[in-house]
Amino acid sequence: MDKLDIIGDIHGHADALEALLAALGYSKDGDGVYSHDERRALFLGDYIDRGPDQRRTLEIVRSMSKRGRAIALMGNHEFNAICYAARINGGFIRAHNPKNREQHAAFLREFPEGAADYCDAIDWFRSLPVRFETEGVAAVHACWCARSLRAIEPLLTEDGRLRPAAYDAYADTCGAQYAAIERILKGPEIALPDGLDYRDKDGHFRRAARIRWWTDNDAPARRRLEFGGARLGDDQLAMIDRMECREPFPMPAKPVFFGHYWMQGAPAPLAEKIACLDYSVAKGGRLAAYRWNGEARLNARNFVSVEAGPSAARK
Ligand SMILES: [Mn+2]
C-alpha cells in the first residue's frame, strides 16, 4: 500500500514547505525535485493567495507532482483563481470586485494577469483533482461530503478533475452542483441571524459561519462554528448557542484528511479517523503533515510540523 505524507495548506510559505519536506526525509534530486524512496506526498490544496513565496511553492509542488512524487489536490484558492480567470456571459465566473481582487492580490503581484506564466499556472490549477480516494484513505480540501461528491461525479474526469462543464455548472449559483462544489472545497456554512455579523481575519464583513462538520451534532453551536478569528461577546455567543446547526455527517469508514480550517496548537487527530492538516502557517502557526502508513486509526505521533520560517517575517 502506498505510504503517504499528507501535507496541509501551504499558502506561499515555501521555506516552511522545504523545511517540512526535509523533516519528512525528502531530498532534492539532480534536477532540484524533492523525492523520497518509499513515500509520496499528498498536498491538500491552497498553495497561493498569501505568504511570501507563491511562485516557489508552485515550483516545488508542480515539479513533485509532474514526477509522480506527489499528488496535489485543488483548494478553494486555486478554484477561485480559475473562476477569476474564466469568462462567462461577458464577465468572469468570479467577479473582479474589490473584495475578490484583494483576496487574490498577492498572487496577481507574482503572476500578473494575462502573462504567459499566469495562464500556465491557471492551466495547472485546472488539472488538479478535487478528491483523492483509495481503499484505505480519503482526502479533500475542505469537506468529505459523500452526497456532494456524488452530486458532482458527472462533472469529474476519472481521476477526479473538474471537467470544463463543471465551471459552467458552478456559474449557476442556484444549482445543486454549485452548492456541492462549495461544500467540498469551502465546507458547509450557516447563515447567521441579524446582529451576529462579524469581521473575519482579513477584515471582511461576514454574515455566515463555517461549520466544523466533523464535530458532534449535539455539541453547543459556539463549538461547532468558526468565526474567522473574530472575538465575540457573551450576548453573541448566547445567540449562537440558540442556533440549530446540525450537519448529518456519519463517521467515515476509513481515515479522512482535509485542510482549510485554521487549526491552532499542536496537530492532533479530531476523531479516530479524521484529521485536519491546516495549522495556520499563514497566520504565524505551523505547516503540518501526517505520515500515513496504511493504518485505519490515526495516531497522534504521526504528525510532523514546522514553523512558518524566516521568509515569513518579510511579509
Ligand atoms: Mn481553503
Side-chain angles (χ1 to χ4, degrees):
M1 189 176 287
D2 224 2
K3 291 181 180 174
L4 296 171
D5 294 312
I6 306 164
I7 297 175
D9 308 31
I10 305 163
H11 282 305
H13 285 264
D15 282 350
L17 174 58
E18 293 198 273
L20 180 64
L21 289 168
L24 294 167
Y26 289 69
S27 55
K28 279 185 182 176
D29 67 14
D31 299 326
V33 181
Y34 280 93
S35 69
H36 192 292
D37 288 343
E38 293 153 24
R39 311 182 65 89
R40 277 198 299 170
L42 171 57
F43 294 105
L44 295 176
D46 279 7
Y47 311 107
I48 60 163
D49 281 343
R50 302 172 190 276
D53 288 302
Q54 299 179 46
R55 180 177 294 276
R56 193 150 58 88
T57 298
L58 289 182
E59 280 165 7
I60 295 166
V61 174
R62 285 184 71 166
S63 62
M64 289 178 74
S65 65
K66 195 173 169 194
R67 285 282 178 85
R69 302 299 191 173
I71 300 143
L73 295 184
M74 184 187 285
N76 58 306
H77 284 268
E78 289 74 47
F79 180 79
N80 285 348
I82 297 163
C83 293
Y84 194 88
R87 290 185 171 276
I88 196 161
N89 300 336
F92 294 91
I93 296 178
R94 184 168 172 83
H96 288 197
N97 60 33
K99 171 181 155 285
N100 292 346
R101 194 182 292 279
E102 189 199 314
Q103 275 180 359
H104 205 28
F107 176 77
L108 295 174
R109 271 198 299 277
E110 287 195 60
F111 293 85
E113 220 173 325
D117 59 355
Y118 169 85
C119 300
D120 182 56
I122 299 295
D123 282 347
W124 184 69
F125 296 159
R126 284 182 177 272
S127 79
L128 303 176
V130 295
R131 49 114 168 99
F132 174 83
E133 186 171 21
T134 66
E135 236 171 74
V137 69
V140 70
H141 180 63
C143 177
W144 190 265
C145 173
R147 250 178 317 138
S148 300
L149 288 164
R150 272 197 304 278
I152 64 159
E153 197 57 42
L155 301 176
L156 298 182
T157 63
E158 215 163 280
D159 46 8
R161 299 177 163 100
L162 292 165
R163 297 178 194 276
Y167 297 95
D168 297 334
Y170 180 81
D172 173 9
T173 56
C174 298
Q177 288 169 324
Y178 166 84
I181 290 172
E182 285 277 297
R183 281 174 85 82
I184 292 163
L185 293 178
K186 305 178 185 181
E189 296 197 351
I190 188 168
L192 296 170
D194 287 345
L196 263 182
D197 20 46
Y198 65 97
R199 280 182 195 278
D200 68 13
K201 58 190 176 308
D202 298 321
H204 294 130
F205 203 55
R206 300 259 180 196
R207 300 214 51 190
R210 288 181 178 179
I211 300 177
R212 295 175 169 245
W213 52 269
W214 59 90
T215 51
D216 183 349
N217 267 306
D218 293 326
R222 71 174 74 184
R223 294 227 310 271
R224 303 211 69 210
L225 300 179
E226 193 170 278
F227 297 95
R231 277 173 177 270
L232 302 177
D234 288 343
D235 290 355
Q236 288 176 308
L237 289 171
M239 276 171 81
I240 286 160
D241 278 344
R242 287 196 290 274
M243 290 171 63
E244 181 81 15
C245 64
R246 290 174 172 273
E247 275 290 320
F249 280 96
M251 282 294 117
K254 56 186 154 194
V256 167
F257 292 91
F258 57 94
H260 190 65
Y261 294 84
W262 297 76
M263 296 289 161
Q264 289 178 349
L270 297 168
E272 194 177 77
K273 294 178 195 287
I274 300 180
C276 176
L277 290 168
D278 182 357
Y279 276 83
S280 309
V281 69
K283 218 169 54 179
R286 303 180 74 80
L287 181 64
Y290 183 89
R291 313 209 82 180
W292 185 73
N293 302 313
E295 66 273 21
R297 289 181 182 191
L298 302 183
N299 185 335
R301 287 197 297 268
N302 292 0
F303 287 87
V304 177
S305 67
V306 299
E307 285 178 349
S311 72
R314 298 205 306 261
K315 270 250 142 148

